[in-house]
Amino acid sequence: MNRTQENPLEDPSTDPFAIAQKAAEQIAQKTGVERHDIALTLGSGWAKAADLIGETVATIPATDIDGFSRPALEGHVGTLRSILLPNGKRALVIGARTHYYEGHGVRRVVHSVRTAAATGAKVMILTNGAGGIKDTWAPGQPVLISDHINLTADSPLEGATFIDLTDLYSSRLRAVAKQIDPGLDEGVYCQFRGPHYETPAEVQMAKAIGGHIVGMSTALEAIAARQAGMEVFGMSLITNLAAGIQKTPLSHAEVIDAGKQAEPVISALLAKIVAAI
Ligand code: 8IG
């Protein structure tokens, strides 16, 4: 059996929303939690937040759920966790991100978001590790995503589906975060296809068109979240300054290391934000 046959999302004749609905039903059954209120995708550097936001009620391997694939990257844990927050709300933590550069198609990239929406979640928190363009930023710094530029030349929307993306990254939720940490800066996230990092010239292009953060995830997920009617909150951990902004070459090991260093601080910050949502 090849991979296409294994994952129904890669069969164009299937309905991705029906598969997300089925996945949500499996999550309810396996976690014993009927509905979730909020969902979080924890990218590189953010995983510890899952331990801080509340009491874990259930942890399930994502691969037990329809449409989920194994994570491609070290540092991305392939689990789904149901967490009871101190305020009584239910959070679904997605530790299994499929990146666009894996080449399995955009339906698989946004399946976790669509599944989260089908579990009832009204707020989607998207986090990532990314490169920073603003020269006032330093590795280890968390920043809010205020808007995005989608440079993948793709969309999770199919057919004539016209969705408004004004205030895609909820200004209400950004204000909540700034109340908790008034020092938080924000910026425009540019999603590149990857998996290579940018050339310095591409980083200058991103800067010239209004970008401040360069990454390989979040924008496509945010679009799908908005299509599903969710309120979106995005945060990037700046693990490196973008190519050419920092004078040394980018190394994946350094990126992972910066994430590990910053993890306790940014995870505690995210936990406080989640409690205030
Ligand atoms: I972590 O500098 C991380 N992810 N595109 N560029 C892009 N993605 C990233 C980067 C970066 N750092």
Side-chain angles (χ1 to χ4, degrees):
M1 210 191 227
N2 68 33
R3 294 191 63 89
T4 305
Q5 286 165 322
E6 275 173 32
N7 195 311
L9 288 165
E10 285 176 70
D11 173 352
S13 70
T14 61
D15 172 6
F17 297 95
I19 296 164
Q21 186 58 45
K22 173 95 181 301
E25 285 160 18
Q26 292 169 334
I27 289 169
Q29 193 238 324
K30 286 178 193 282
T31 61
V33 178
E34 203 51 50
R35 291 180 68 75
H36 289 83
D37 303 296
I38 147 171
L40 300 92
T41 298
L42 299 179
S44 345
W46 296 92
K48 281 262 176 330
D51 299 326
L52 302 177
I53 60 177
E55 175 204 336
T56 297
V57 175
T59 304
I60 51 180
T63 44
D64 283 4
I65 305 299
D66 279 22
F68 283 83
S69 48
R70 282 195 177 71
L73 267 186
E74 183 204 350
H76 293 242
V77 194
T79 61
L80 301 171
R81 271 165 83 163
S82 179
I83 297 180
L84 175 59
L85 305 185
N87 62 13
K89 288 188 183 169
R90 301 284 181 167
L92 181 68
V93 173
I94 301 156
R97 179 175 251 152
T98 300
H99 286 88
Y100 189 67
Y101 57 69
E102 291 171 55
H104 299 305
V106 73
R107 284 183 175 186
R108 273 179 65 172
V109 171
V110 301
H111 179 58
S112 58
V113 168
R114 288 183 172 150
T115 298
T119 70
K122 300 283 182 257
V123 172
M124 187 72 230
I125 297 181
L126 298 170
T127 63
N128 58 56
I133 296 180
K134 286 196 196 178
D135 55 18
T136 52
W137 290 349
Q141 181 173 349
V143 298
L144 299 171
I145 300 175
S146 60
D147 202 345
H148 80 222
I149 299 173
N150 172 13
L151 296 175
T152 65
D154 209 340
S155 170
L157 311 184
E158 298 178 31
T161 312
F162 305 108
I163 303 275
D164 174 59
L165 300 180
T166 310
D167 200 35
L168 176 56
Y169 298 88
S170 164
S171 47
R172 182 186 81 85
L173 295 178
R174 275 183 280 141
V176 168
K178 284 180 180 176
Q179 263 178 1
I180 287 160
D181 182 355
L184 274 173
D185 199 0
E186 58 182 38
V188 173
Y189 180 93
C190 286
Q191 180 173 357
F192 282 82
R193 182 195 175 284
H196 50 272
Y197 297 121
E198 295 70 34
T199 62
E202 287 165 344
V203 169
Q204 288 307 312
M205 176 195 75
K207 185 177 178 180
I209 62 176
H212 308 109
I213 306 164
V214 282
M216 305 178 195
S217 57
T218 305
L220 294 171
E221 298 166 356
I223 295 166
R226 168 52 55 88
Q227 178 188 29
M230 300 164 100
E231 197 176 9
V232 178
F233 178 76
M235 257 183 127
S236 292
L237 167 67
I238 303 303
T239 58
N240 58 280
L241 293 184
I245 307 281
Q246 78 173 38
K247 293 304 162 211
T248 51
L250 273 56
S251 109
H252 181 62
E254 275 173 50
V255 158
I256 295 290
D257 196 50
K260 286 211 178 97
Q261 297 265 331
E263 194 153 29
V265 175
I266 62 169
S267 296
L269 171 61
L270 184 59
K272 281 192 202 156
I273 294 169
V274 168
I277 281 173

